[in-house]
Amino acid sequence: MMSLASPAVVLIGSSCRRGRSRRAASGGRAITPAVTPRRWGQSACRVRIAPIVGARADNIPGTGQDTFSSSIGAPNEFSAPLDASGGSAAGRSKPGDRLSGDGENDWLTLTLLAAVAIFVCYADRSNISTAIIPMAKDFGWDKIQTGGVLSAFFYGYALTQLVGGRLADSFGGKRVLALGVLGWSLATFVTPLAAAAGAIPLVAARVTLGAGEGVAFPAVHSLISRHVPKDRQSTAVAAVTAASYGGAAFAFGVTPAVVLAGGWEAAFYTFGSAAIFWFPFWAASSFKVVNDAANGGGKYGAESAGKPGVIDEWLALVKTREVRAICVAQFAQSWGGYGLLSWLPTYFEEALGVPLGDLPAFTVLPYFIQGIVGVGSGVVADQWLREGKFSTKFIRRAFQTVGMVGPAVCLAGAAVLGGAGATDANIFAAAVLVDVGLALSALTLAGVSVSHLDVAPRHAGLVFATGNTCATIAGIIAVPLSGWVLEATGQSWSAVFGVIAVLYVVGAALWWAWVGDEPVPEDSL
């Protein structure tokens, strides 16, 4: 294998628009000196060159030979060394890419480490759902103020979704995720100090927490698109997302004991320190590239001369029916998901009379069940795809629809029980319905949670971030609005759960109509 710095190079193809090129020999290389670097409004001329040894070239795609596409005028483009896959290492590798060794099981390592990061992510965001109960009593907050504190997280979360997705697609998800983990861990740790300083510092800490966590899932999904084989992606997505349920369950299970033993402040100090054990393993890891077309080309995914800007790319994608399906489904299911995540402990304590110390028995189990069902759904979906039992579109439709309509029915039942009185029978029945509803919602891990890998593999981080931004907007609205509804209706949980159920059904119907199963043409921009 030789580098493009070699003087023996042959022109194997060229194309120009708005102008004519001419060929002149210089040192054995065919060039087009009449064409200048592209400016705004101009077209680019591109040439394809390949190294030769004697009279034979090596590894042009389709014939076993190497070929590269390069824009005239790009700096250092003719001196980039070749990597093991036949591409330019400078032009194709990203931080975290494995540059040597086998790496056949790297996708498992990536899935495990990403799952741990997401576990910590959801534990850090969820501990306040329990800690907010003594915090509200200490600071004298009503339901509207409590909802405001809980929802502050989502403002920061929404701000960094698209940025995180784009950065991950362009520069690699490894560094983006590491920075996110650092940011949200620090924000969690300083929350008690911020609360003591006043409402504004507390809200700022929660917004910062959201901003750090906002890049996590887009970065992870960008990494999955690049490093996980196609027939394992549903499994990887399900495992990582299931870790979010595990993190929430851990927070709900452990936070009451931590609060009772050391005060609500201890919950934030403990959880904020957790990521320190994850960083060394993440820093030492690298992953085999198995889907090289994912996340674009150019150095670290940099835009080439004829490629539209990120805004144009994003607008083209969001206008497609397939991406709109992702956005609608994410919004609808997250209205319920974030609402339950934030208000579930309060529901059991106030509507059903469950003491703070007994909350783990009712708030932990649902998320563990979600994790088990979520992983199972991803494994089953991938198995069905490999065996060809069902089409990709049918699998995405079926898992998502059952995962939204099922919880709607369960929440409607829990709402009725919540208003029927705090009897032992009602408490047990409500807990069962919540458990079943959350378990069914985990089926969506084989639906909308992986759909962006089907319809936009090159822009996986950006499209996931778009859908997750819609989900975050749902959280921004749903959490405080639920608090307002409770205040306005005299603590009517039936009204809160009824709204969630309606949105679930509407979202499922639109998903069924719009979901796609193949890359959209706009993904090639």
Side-chain angles (χ1 to χ4, degrees):
M1 190 70 69
M2 64 183 293
S3 85
L4 287 179
S6 171
V9 178
V10 62
L11 180 72
I12 63 172
S14 67
S15 62
C16 295
R17 299 186 302 273
R18 297 187 187 178
R20 301 173 59 186
S21 64
R22 61 187 179 84
R23 302 172 68 177
S26 176
R29 173 179 296 158
I31 62 173
T32 55
V35 179
T36 58
R38 184 175 185 260
R39 297 184 177 87
W40 182 258
Q42 294 180 336
S43 299
C45 177
R46 300 177 66 84
V47 297
R48 294 164 64 81
I49 57 177
I52 60 172
V53 179
R56 185 177 64 85
D58 294 325
N59 300 334
I60 299 175
T63 65
Q65 300 175 356
D66 254 327
T67 177
F68 296 89
S69 181
S70 182
S71 296
I72 297 297
N76 300 322
E77 58 194 346
F78 297 123
S79 59
L82 300 178
D83 63 15
S85 64
S88 167
R92 300 175 69 177
S93 65
K94 298 180 182 179
D97 287 357
R98 176 182 289 276
L99 300 180
S100 62
D102 179 46
E104 287 300 320
N105 294 319
D106 282 353
W107 74 273
L108 290 171
T109 304
L110 169 62
T111 301
L112 175 62
L113 290 174
V116 172
I118 296 301
F119 182 97
V120 174
C121 173
Y122 269 71
D124 283 357
R125 79 162 68 173
S126 302
N127 62 355
I128 197 172
S129 296
T130 301
I132 198 72
I133 298 173
M135 289 176 71
K137 294 176 181 177
D138 286 353
F139 294 106
W141 298 332
D142 60 20
K143 287 294 187 298
I144 296 175
Q145 292 170 317
T146 300
V149 173
L150 290 172
S151 66
F153 163 89
F154 296 106
Y155 291 94
Y157 197 63
L159 287 174
T160 56
Q161 289 284 322
L162 293 173
V163 174
R166 180 59 178 179
L167 289 175
D169 287 343
S170 298
F171 300 99
K174 185 179 180 184
R175 290 179 180 175
V176 174
L177 180 59
L179 290 173
V181 172
L182 177 62
W184 86 58
S185 297
L186 291 174
T188 301
F189 192 86
V190 302
T191 295
L193 302 177
I200 293 178
L202 174 60
V203 169
R206 296 298 297 175
V207 170
T208 303
L209 171 68
E213 295 199 359
V215 305
F217 263 120
V220 167
H221 281 259
S222 184
L223 286 165
I224 289 173
S225 178
R226 184 171 178 83
H227 300 290
V228 177
K230 294 288 186 183
D231 62 352
R232 301 293 183 182
Q233 288 183 348
S234 293
T235 300
V237 169
V240 170
T241 310
S244 71
Y245 304 145
F250 181 82
F252 284 134
V254 172
T255 303
V258 175
V259 169
L260 291 174
W264 60 264
E265 298 90 346
F268 296 100
Y269 294 139
T270 303
F271 283 70
S273 304
I276 194 171
F277 301 102
W278 172 85
F279 271 107
F281 296 98
W282 186 249
S285 64
S286 62
F287 314 108
K288 179 181 179 181
V289 178
V290 297
N291 300 309
D292 199 27
N295 313 134
K299 185 173 183 179
Y300 299 151
E303 295 176 7
S304 59
K307 188 177 180 181
V310 61
I311 300 300
D312 293 331
E313 293 178 28
W314 180 76
L315 288 175
L317 287 165
V318 298
K319 290 178 182 178
T320 64
R321 185 176 64 175
E322 294 83 355
V323 174
R324 289 202 303 269
I326 294 172
C327 293
V328 170
Q330 287 278 41
F331 181 91
Q333 73 180 41
S334 294
W335 186 290
Y338 286 135
L340 285 176
L341 183 68
S342 298
W343 290 106
L344 191 60
T346 304
Y347 165 72
F348 277 109
E349 186 196 46
E350 295 188 357
L352 299 175
V354 178
L356 177 64
D358 295 337
L359 283 179
F362 298 91
T363 57
V364 172
L365 183 60
Y367 292 98
F368 276 122
I369 295 175
Q370 270 192 311
I372 295 171
V373 173
V375 172
S377 67
V379 172
V380 170
D382 277 342
Q383 185 66 29
W384 285 353
L385 288 172
R386 286 194 296 272
E387 294 176 356
K389 287 187 174 181
F390 304 100
S391 68
T392 300
K393 180 174 286 189
F394 176 81
I395 290 173
R396 303 299 182 231
R397 278 176 167 172
F399 276 88
Q400 185 68 28
T401 301
V402 175
M404 295 182 76
V405 175
V409 174
C410 292
L411 286 178
V416 172
L417 292 171
T423 65
D424 289 342
N426 284 347
I427 292 173
F428 177 77
V432 170
L433 285 172
V434 170
D435 288 352
V436 173
L438 287 175
L440 290 174
S441 71
L443 294 175
T444 63
L445 299 193
V448 69
S449 294
V450 74
S451 182
H452 55 286
L453 301 176
D454 297 331
V455 303
R458 288 177 58 87
H459 296 84
L462 185 62
V463 172
F464 178 85
T466 302
N468 218 27
T469 298
C470 293
T472 305
I473 293 172
I476 291 174
I477 301 172
V479 175
L481 184 62
S482 296
W484 179 85
V485 169
L486 289 171
E487 288 288 332
T489 60
Q491 312 301 311
S492 173
W493 290 95
S494 297
V496 173
F497 288 170
V499 172
I500 294 173
V502 170
L503 285 172
Y504 271 149
V505 173
V506 172
L510 292 174
W511 169 265
W512 186 278
W514 292 346
V515 64
D517 60 351
E518 295 180 351
V520 297
E522 290 78 5
D523 187 48
S524 63
L525 294 176

